[in-house]
Structures are given as structure tokens and as C-alpha cells.
Amino acid sequence: MDKTEGLVLSGIPADALSLKLSRSTIKMRHTATWRVEKSNEVHDLVVCISGTAHYELDGEPASLSPGEAMLIPAGARFVGRTGAGPVYTGFAQHFTLDLFGHVDLISQMDLQRTARFSRWRVIEPLVRHYREIAPASSTTLAQYHIFMVILIEFIEEAFIRWREQALVNSAGPDALSLHIMLTASRIAGNPFKPGILEDALASLPYNPDYFRRAFKDRIGYTPAKFCEFKRLEQAMNILSAGHSVKETAAITGYPDVYYFSRQFKRFIGTSPSAYRLLNRARESGQFIDGAAQIDGKPIA
């Protein structure tokens, strides 16, 4: 199954993914004599900052240059050597990434061996910082957050498709988790598309009521409420761009502005007019305190 609309992992709650850094970061700085041949029990993400390197993963060739990353899947046998030119630097990080606590997410995807970061100007400072702060014999909380950003960026660049076999076996809990994630991603990718909810649910190999309950158990909303939540999240961006509450309601598909306001407050926690005022106050540098006041004046 190919990449859905929007980002691959869009719509997945932060607590649905469990990242583990299984050893300290390898700060690569390899000269022309460097060679390696081994396999790892966990996945390994290798990111190149300078120089070049040539690898063979299970007999298939792969090369890395600055701005590129390579995923070495758990159990893959690989051989590596440096290329000609500058010293080969970067980092390698062993990790596991589980979905809903028990599904190895990486093994459910077909990914390119290597991928170039299209936003390397943004990612490079983060990669360099990650390498610099990594301690020699442990991992830190900051590393988890930074590495997750880098890893997700790589997945978005390298993703080819979800492995069909993982989705076909509807009797297994792994398949159910993947179907929930894929459905959430489809909805979040374009919550305004007419019929997006029906399309996302149409071909699922589960009883509709059973799937709705399982979806709510893992995501926190039913598919319908999740779709509405994603629409209202987009409404926040539209309000922040300067549109009025009435305009935002129309853009997000709410013909009744009063119903839109009620739903916005229910899901987001404040009225759209108050959110708009708060956003404008932040942009203008006004003081906002914890009692929902701007410069000492309460927000309606």
C-alpha cells in the first residue's frame, strides 16, 4: 500500500510510538583506513555530515554523502568503508520504534536503503547538535526528542509503501494496530476531503463497530470525532493566519458559525474568537497570564 495523502505518520498521537535508544551514539569520524563488517540486533540509523562511505547491506550496494542517511535493519549483515576525500563524519544510532507498545514499526514498511534529507539546511544543525551532545556511555532525554525528529524526517523521505502482508493478516493484533495507524494518517492527511472518512473505513477487514472501538482505544477518539478534531486543528492555523471566525467556519466546512464555535471550544478548549485574540496578542508581544488575560484584561 503506497504512501497516503499527507505525511506518513501524520495523525498518530505522540504516545502511540515508543522509541528506545539501545546504546550510546556512535560519533563517526573515520579516515581512509576504516572498515566495518557486522550485524546488529536492532535497527541502526546512520547519518552522514561530511565525506563519503560505501556499504553493502545483505550484498546490496549503498553509498552515503553529506545530507544523506541510511537505515540498517535489525539483523542485516553490512560491510562499510570510507570513500576518497574528506574524513567521513556523522553518527550512527541503534534504536527500536514500537507502535502501540508491541509492533515493530520499521519492519512493517518498505523503505529506501538511503535517502537524502530534502530539508538538510534545517536538519543539519540538529544532526550536528545531536552528535555533539551525545555522551560516551549513556543516552539522555534530550537525545530521545532530537533523534525522533531526525528519524521521522528520514522515514518521510525514505518511505515507499506499507508491507501488504502485515495488513492482510487481519486476525493478528499487529495488523489491527497498523490499520488504525493508516486510517488515522489518511484522515489527518486531508480531513476536508469530501468522503474522506467513508473512504478510509470502506475497505477495512473488520466489523465497523469493533474497529471504531479499537480506534478510540488507541487514538482517543472515534474515527468521526478524530476527523472533526483534525478539521478544528486546521481551523487553528486558519485563525492564526488572520481569518475571521465566520471565514474560518466556512473554510473548514461548518455552515453554522455558532455550531463551529461550540465544537472548537469543545475540542480545543477555548472559543475561536478568544484563540484568535490570544494569537494576535502573542504576535504583538502583549503579556498573557495563566488566567487567560491579555495585559490584565480578561478574554471573553
Side-chain angles (χ1 to χ4, degrees), residues 187-188 190-192 196-197 215 221-236 252-254 256 259-268:
I187 293 170
N190 192 351
F192 303 120
I196 183 64
L197 183 61
F215 190 98
Y221 296 101
T222 64
K225 292 298 182 184
F226 180 73
C227 186
E228 185 163 20
F229 173 61
K230 287 300 172 180
R231 289 169 65 194
L232 292 168
E233 275 194 333
Q234 293 297 322
M236 295 168 67
T252 52
Y254 290 88
D256 185 339
Y259 178 73
F260 165 73
S261 296
R262 289 198 302 272
Q263 293 301 95
F264 189 95
K265 187 169 185 177
R266 177 185 174 191
F267 281 87
I268 308 303

Side-chain angles (χ1 to χ4, degrees), residues 68-106:
E68 295 180 335
M70 174 179 66
L71 179 74
I72 303 174
R77 191 74 185 174
F78 67 96
V79 178
R81 59 183 176 82
T82 51
V87 173
Y88 173 44
T89 66
F91 75 77
Q93 181 65 65
H94 296 187
F95 73 96
T96 59
L97 184 66
D98 292 336
L99 175 66
F100 301 126
H102 62 86
V103 180
D104 174 21
L105 186 64
I106 298 298

Side-chain angles (χ1 to χ4, degrees), residues 178-285:
L178 290 171
H179 277 293
I180 289 171
M181 185 189 68
L182 191 58
T183 300
S185 296
R186 283 173 169 164
I187 293 170
N190 192 351
F192 303 120
K193 181 181 177 181
I196 183 64
L197 183 61
E198 293 76 10
D199 290 346
L201 299 174
S203 59
L204 293 170
Y206 301 100
N207 174 278
D209 290 336
Y210 169 74
F211 185 80
R212 277 192 287 269
R213 290 194 299 271
F215 190 98
K216 184 177 180 180
D217 180 61
R218 288 165 173 79
I219 302 296
Y221 296 101
T222 64
K225 292 298 182 184
F226 180 73
C227 186
E228 185 163 20
F229 173 61
K230 287 300 172 180
R231 289 169 65 194
L232 292 168
E233 275 194 333
Q234 293 297 322
M236 295 168 67
N237 296 330
I238 296 168
L239 289 166
S240 298
H243 290 277
S244 69
V245 175
K246 185 177 180 180
E247 290 171 338
T248 303
I251 293 170
T252 52
Y254 290 88
D256 185 339
V257 68
Y258 299 105
Y259 178 73
F260 165 73
S261 296
R262 289 198 302 272
Q263 293 301 95
F264 189 95
K265 187 169 185 177
R266 177 185 174 191
F267 281 87
I268 308 303
T270 187
S271 70
S273 57
Y275 178 82
R276 190 166 179 265
L277 287 172
L278 282 167
N279 189 71
R280 290 171 63 184
R282 291 189 186 97
E283 291 182 348
S284 63

